[in-house]
mmCIF file of all heavy atoms in Angstrom:
data_model
loop_
_atom_site.group_PDB
_atom_site.id
_atom_site.type_symbol
_atom_site.label_atom_id
_atom_site.label_comp_id
_atom_site.label_asym_id
_atom_site.label_seq_id
_atom_site.Cartn_x
_atom_site.Cartn_y
_atom_site.Cartn_z
ATOM 1 N N LEU A 1 -0.759 -7.298 1.190
ATOM 2 C CA LEU A 1 0.649 -7.572 0.907
ATOM 3 C C LEU A 1 1.021 -7.062 -0.483
ATOM 4 O O LEU A 1 2.117 -6.530 -0.693
ATOM 5 C CB LEU A 1 0.934 -9.064 1.031
ATOM 6 C CG LEU A 1 2.390 -9.493 0.858
ATOM 7 C CD1 LEU A 1 3.294 -8.810 1.873
ATOM 8 C CD2 LEU A 1 2.524 -11.016 0.980
ATOM 9 N N PHE A 2 0.101 -7.215 -1.427
ATOM 10 C CA PHE A 2 0.303 -6.636 -2.760
ATOM 11 C C PHE A 2 0.443 -5.116 -2.663
ATOM 12 O O PHE A 2 1.322 -4.514 -3.300
ATOM 13 C CB PHE A 2 -0.879 -6.992 -3.660
ATOM 14 C CG PHE A 2 -0.950 -6.176 -4.933
ATOM 15 C CD1 PHE A 2 -0.190 -6.531 -6.039
ATOM 16 C CD2 PHE A 2 -1.753 -5.052 -5.015
ATOM 17 C CE1 PHE A 2 -0.236 -5.774 -7.205
ATOM 18 C CE2 PHE A 2 -1.808 -4.294 -6.169
ATOM 19 C CZ PHE A 2 -1.048 -4.661 -7.272
ATOM 20 N N LEU A 3 -0.410 -4.486 -1.853
ATOM 21 C CA LEU A 3 -0.350 -3.026 -1.698
ATOM 22 C C LEU A 3 0.994 -2.598 -1.139
ATOM 23 O O LEU A 3 1.592 -1.620 -1.615
ATOM 24 C CB LEU A 3 -1.480 -2.560 -0.777
ATOM 25 C CG LEU A 3 -1.503 -1.061 -0.444
ATOM 26 C CD1 LEU A 3 -1.751 -0.239 -1.709
ATOM 27 C CD2 LEU A 3 -2.571 -0.765 0.611
ATOM 28 N N PHE A 4 1.482 -3.303 -0.125
ATOM 29 C CA PHE A 4 2.799 -3.012 0.447
ATOM 30 C C PHE A 4 3.870 -2.996 -0.637
ATOM 31 O O PHE A 4 4.683 -2.069 -0.732
ATOM 32 C CB PHE A 4 3.117 -4.063 1.519
ATOM 33 C CG PHE A 4 4.582 -4.290 1.771
ATOM 34 C CD1 PHE A 4 5.354 -3.327 2.402
ATOM 35 C CD2 PHE A 4 5.190 -5.474 1.381
ATOM 36 C CE1 PHE A 4 6.717 -3.542 2.637
ATOM 37 C CE2 PHE A 4 6.537 -5.701 1.612
ATOM 38 C CZ PHE A 4 7.306 -4.730 2.236
ATOM 39 N N GLN A 5 3.849 -4.008 -1.493
ATOM 40 C CA GLN A 5 4.874 -4.112 -2.525
ATOM 41 C C GLN A 5 4.637 -3.135 -3.671
ATOM 42 O O GLN A 5 5.591 -2.629 -4.271
ATOM 43 C CB GLN A 5 4.938 -5.546 -3.030
ATOM 44 C CG GLN A 5 5.427 -6.509 -1.955
ATOM 45 C CD GLN A 5 5.353 -7.949 -2.395
ATOM 46 O OE1 GLN A 5 6.299 -8.506 -2.940
ATOM 47 N NE2 GLN A 5 4.219 -8.571 -2.157
ATOM 48 N N ALA A 6 3.356 -2.864 -3.986
ATOM 49 C CA ALA A 6 3.063 -1.894 -5.049
ATOM 50 C C ALA A 6 3.521 -0.500 -4.649
ATOM 51 O O ALA A 6 4.110 0.239 -5.458
ATOM 52 C CB ALA A 6 1.562 -1.899 -5.349
ATOM 53 N N VAL A 7 3.281 -0.114 -3.404
ATOM 54 C CA VAL A 7 3.759 1.183 -2.920
ATOM 55 C C VAL A 7 5.280 1.218 -2.937
ATOM 56 O O VAL A 7 5.893 2.238 -3.289
ATOM 57 C CB VAL A 7 3.218 1.463 -1.503
ATOM 58 C CG1 VAL A 7 3.861 2.716 -0.913
ATOM 59 C CG2 VAL A 7 1.706 1.614 -1.537
ATOM 60 N N ALA A 8 5.896 0.087 -2.570
ATOM 61 C CA ALA A 8 7.361 0.020 -2.607
ATOM 62 C C ALA A 8 7.884 0.228 -4.025
ATOM 63 O O ALA A 8 8.902 0.913 -4.228
ATOM 64 C CB ALA A 8 7.827 -1.333 -2.055
ATOM 65 N N VAL A 9 7.192 -0.333 -5.006
ATOM 66 C CA VAL A 9 7.596 -0.161 -6.405
ATOM 67 C C VAL A 9 7.500 1.309 -6.803
ATOM 68 O O VAL A 9 8.425 1.868 -7.412
ATOM 69 C CB VAL A 9 6.720 -1.026 -7.326
ATOM 70 C CG1 VAL A 9 6.934 -0.645 -8.781
ATOM 71 C CG2 VAL A 9 7.027 -2.498 -7.122
ATOM 72 N N LEU A 10 6.388 1.947 -6.475
ATOM 73 C CA LEU A 10 6.227 3.362 -6.825
ATOM 74 C C LEU A 10 7.281 4.222 -6.132
ATOM 75 O O LEU A 10 7.823 5.162 -6.722
ATOM 76 C CB LEU A 10 4.820 3.825 -6.435
ATOM 77 C CG LEU A 10 3.665 3.176 -7.216
ATOM 78 C CD1 LEU A 10 2.325 3.642 -6.667
ATOM 79 C CD2 LEU A 10 3.770 3.483 -8.700
ATOM 80 N N THR A 11 7.576 3.892 -4.878
ATOM 81 C CA THR A 11 8.603 4.637 -4.150
ATOM 82 C C THR A 11 9.971 4.477 -4.807
ATOM 83 O O THR A 11 10.752 5.431 -4.889
ATOM 84 C CB THR A 11 8.670 4.152 -2.692
ATOM 85 O OG1 THR A 11 7.377 4.257 -2.101
ATOM 86 C CG2 THR A 11 9.655 4.986 -1.883
ATOM 87 N N SER A 12 10.255 3.270 -5.282
ATOM 88 C CA SER A 12 11.562 3.016 -5.888
ATOM 89 C C SER A 12 11.783 3.841 -7.148
ATOM 90 O O SER A 12 12.926 4.076 -7.541
ATOM 91 C CB SER A 12 11.707 1.523 -6.205
ATOM 92 O OG SER A 12 10.827 1.132 -7.248
ATOM 93 N N LEU A 13 10.700 4.299 -7.777
ATOM 94 C CA LEU A 13 10.839 5.133 -8.967
ATOM 95 C C LEU A 13 11.329 6.534 -8.627
ATOM 96 O O LEU A 13 11.915 7.226 -9.472
ATOM 97 C CB LEU A 13 9.484 5.228 -9.693
ATOM 98 C CG LEU A 13 8.937 3.927 -10.288
ATOM 99 C CD1 LEU A 13 7.532 4.143 -10.820
ATOM 100 C CD2 LEU A 13 9.854 3.422 -11.397
ATOM 101 N N VAL A 14 11.094 6.961 -7.391
ATOM 102 C CA VAL A 14 11.462 8.320 -6.982
ATOM 103 C C VAL A 14 12.904 8.388 -6.496
ATOM 104 O O VAL A 14 13.547 9.440 -6.574
ATOM 105 C CB VAL A 14 10.505 8.806 -5.870
ATOM 106 C CG1 VAL A 14 10.853 10.217 -5.408
ATOM 107 C CG2 VAL A 14 9.062 8.735 -6.355
ATOM 108 N N VAL A 15 13.421 7.281 -5.993
ATOM 109 C CA VAL A 15 14.732 7.283 -5.341
ATOM 110 C C VAL A 15 15.864 7.747 -6.260
ATOM 111 O O VAL A 15 16.733 8.504 -5.821
ATOM 112 C CB VAL A 15 15.038 5.901 -4.743
ATOM 113 C CG1 VAL A 15 16.451 5.837 -4.177
ATOM 114 C CG2 VAL A 15 14.032 5.594 -3.638
ATOM 115 N N PRO A 16 15.928 7.329 -7.551
ATOM 116 C CA PRO A 16 17.043 7.783 -8.389
ATOM 117 C C PRO A 16 17.167 9.296 -8.471
ATOM 118 O O PRO A 16 18.275 9.834 -8.465
ATOM 119 C CB PRO A 16 16.717 7.177 -9.764
ATOM 120 C CG PRO A 16 15.902 5.982 -9.458
ATOM 121 C CD PRO A 16 15.076 6.357 -8.270
ATOM 122 N N ALA A 17 16.025 10.006 -8.530
ATOM 123 C CA ALA A 17 16.085 11.466 -8.559
ATOM 124 C C ALA A 17 16.683 12.005 -7.261
ATOM 125 O O ALA A 17 17.493 12.935 -7.265
ATOM 126 C CB ALA A 17 14.687 12.043 -8.775
ATOM 127 N N ALA A 18 16.298 11.388 -6.149
ATOM 128 C CA ALA A 18 16.849 11.805 -4.861
ATOM 129 C C ALA A 18 18.342 11.505 -4.782
ATOM 130 O O ALA A 18 19.108 12.283 -4.203
ATOM 131 C CB ALA A 18 16.105 11.100 -3.723
ATOM 132 N N LEU A 19 18.760 10.394 -5.384
ATOM 133 C CA LEU A 19 20.180 10.058 -5.390
ATOM 134 C C LEU A 19 20.989 11.082 -6.178
ATOM 135 O O LEU A 19 22.108 11.429 -5.797
ATOM 136 C CB LEU A 19 20.383 8.660 -5.990
ATOM 137 C CG LEU A 19 19.929 7.466 -5.146
ATOM 138 C CD1 LEU A 19 20.068 6.170 -5.934
ATOM 139 C CD2 LEU A 19 20.731 7.381 -3.857
ATOM 140 N N ARG A 20 20.433 11.576 -7.281
ATOM 141 C CA ARG A 20 21.139 12.575 -8.084
ATOM 142 C C ARG A 20 21.192 13.911 -7.373
ATOM 143 O O ARG A 20 22.159 14.657 -7.483
ATOM 144 C CB ARG A 20 20.456 12.731 -9.450
ATOM 145 C CG ARG A 20 20.671 11.550 -10.383
ATOM 146 C CD ARG A 20 20.238 11.901 -11.795
ATOM 147 N NE ARG A 20 18.817 12.196 -11.870
ATOM 148 C CZ ARG A 20 17.880 11.291 -12.111
ATOM 149 N NH1 ARG A 20 18.215 10.015 -12.275
ATOM 150 N NH2 ARG A 20 16.613 11.641 -12.175
ATOM 151 N N TRP A 21 20.145 14.227 -6.614
ATOM 152 C CA TRP A 21 20.056 15.539 -5.976
ATOM 153 C C TRP A 21 20.915 15.626 -4.711
ATOM 154 O O TRP A 21 21.532 16.649 -4.433
ATOM 155 C CB TRP A 21 18.595 15.819 -5.633
ATOM 156 C CG TRP A 21 18.382 17.054 -4.816
ATOM 157 C CD1 TRP A 21 18.370 18.347 -5.258
ATOM 158 C CD2 TRP A 21 18.164 17.112 -3.408
ATOM 159 N NE1 TRP A 21 18.144 19.211 -4.215
ATOM 160 C CE2 TRP A 21 18.016 18.474 -3.067
ATOM 161 C CE3 TRP A 21 18.062 16.159 -2.406
ATOM 162 C CZ2 TRP A 21 17.780 18.891 -1.761
ATOM 163 C CZ3 TRP A 21 17.835 16.570 -1.105
ATOM 164 C CH2 TRP A 21 17.698 17.921 -0.794
ATOM 165 N N ALA A 22 20.971 14.539 -3.949
ATOM 166 C CA ALA A 22 21.644 14.573 -2.652
ATOM 167 C C ALA A 22 23.157 14.471 -2.818
ATOM 168 O O ALA A 22 23.659 13.806 -3.731
ATOM 169 C CB ALA A 22 21.145 13.429 -1.782
ATOM 170 N N ARG A 23 23.899 15.118 -1.918
ATOM 171 C CA ARG A 23 25.362 15.042 -1.935
ATOM 172 C C ARG A 23 25.827 13.663 -1.464
ATOM 173 O O ARG A 23 26.847 13.164 -1.915
ATOM 174 C CB ARG A 23 25.949 16.136 -1.057
ATOM 175 C CG ARG A 23 25.615 17.542 -1.534
ATOM 176 C CD ARG A 23 26.281 18.598 -0.680
ATOM 177 N NE ARG A 23 27.736 18.513 -0.755
ATOM 178 C CZ ARG A 23 28.547 19.351 -0.110
ATOM 179 N NH1 ARG A 23 28.033 20.297 0.663
ATOM 180 N NH2 ARG A 23 29.853 19.236 -0.225
ATOM 181 N N ASP A 24 25.129 13.083 -0.502
ATOM 182 C CA ASP A 24 25.344 11.689 -0.133
ATOM 183 C C ASP A 24 23.990 11.109 0.254
ATOM 184 O O ASP A 24 22.961 11.769 0.094
ATOM 185 C CB ASP A 24 26.388 11.538 0.985
ATOM 186 C CG ASP A 24 25.980 12.226 2.277
ATOM 187 O OD1 ASP A 24 24.761 12.345 2.544
ATOM 188 O OD2 ASP A 24 26.872 12.655 3.026
ATOM 189 N N GLN A 25 23.976 9.876 0.750
ATOM 190 C CA GLN A 25 22.699 9.201 0.973
ATOM 191 C C GLN A 25 22.350 9.037 2.453
ATOM 192 O O GLN A 25 21.449 8.272 2.804
ATOM 193 C CB GLN A 25 22.718 7.818 0.306
ATOM 194 C CG GLN A 25 22.862 7.850 -1.197
ATOM 195 C CD GLN A 25 24.314 8.015 -1.623
ATOM 196 O OE1 GLN A 25 25.209 7.399 -1.067
ATOM 197 N NE2 GLN A 25 24.541 8.861 -2.613
ATOM 198 N N ARG A 26 23.053 9.726 3.343
ATOM 199 C CA ARG A 26 22.823 9.530 4.775
ATOM 200 C C ARG A 26 21.398 9.901 5.185
ATOM 201 O O ARG A 26 20.706 9.112 5.845
ATOM 202 C CB ARG A 26 23.836 10.334 5.582
ATOM 203 C CG ARG A 26 25.218 9.720 5.614
ATOM 204 C CD ARG A 26 26.207 10.588 6.369
ATOM 205 N NE ARG A 26 26.491 11.825 5.648
ATOM 206 C CZ ARG A 26 27.368 12.738 6.045
ATOM 207 N NH1 ARG A 26 28.031 12.556 7.185
ATOM 208 N NH2 ARG A 26 27.595 13.816 5.336
ATOM 209 N N ALA A 27 20.964 11.090 4.818
ATOM 210 C CA ALA A 27 19.635 11.543 5.227
ATOM 211 C C ALA A 27 18.543 10.676 4.616
ATOM 212 O O ALA A 27 17.571 10.294 5.288
ATOM 213 C CB ALA A 27 19.437 13.009 4.834
ATOM 214 N N LEU A 28 18.705 10.357 3.332
ATOM 215 C CA LEU A 28 17.695 9.555 2.651
ATOM 216 C C LEU A 28 17.601 8.155 3.257
ATOM 217 O O LEU A 28 16.504 7.644 3.502
ATOM 218 C CB LEU A 28 18.039 9.470 1.161
ATOM 219 C CG LEU A 28 17.066 8.688 0.266
ATOM 220 C CD1 LEU A 28 15.672 9.287 0.343
ATOM 221 C CD2 LEU A 28 17.569 8.676 -1.166
ATOM 222 N N ALA A 29 18.739 7.528 3.519
ATOM 223 C CA ALA A 29 18.743 6.174 4.066
ATOM 224 C C ALA A 29 18.193 6.149 5.491
ATOM 225 O O ALA A 29 17.420 5.255 5.858
ATOM 226 C CB ALA A 29 20.159 5.601 4.039
#
């Protein structure tokens, strides 16, 4: 369960860059 959340934390660090790059969030979501 810790691993699930730790991976989620690492993933959340990447999302802002994707938000800046994408024209909208449909594909990402």
Side-chain angles (χ1 to χ4, degrees):
L1 184 58
F2 166 83
L3 176 64
F4 155 70
Q5 294 174 91
V7 172
V9 168
L10 294 176
T11 305
S12 68
L13 295 173
V14 180
V15 175
L19 289 174
R20 288 192 297 270
W21 173 79
R23 298 183 63 179
D24 62 29
Q25 297 82 42
R26 284 177 291 183
L28 181 58

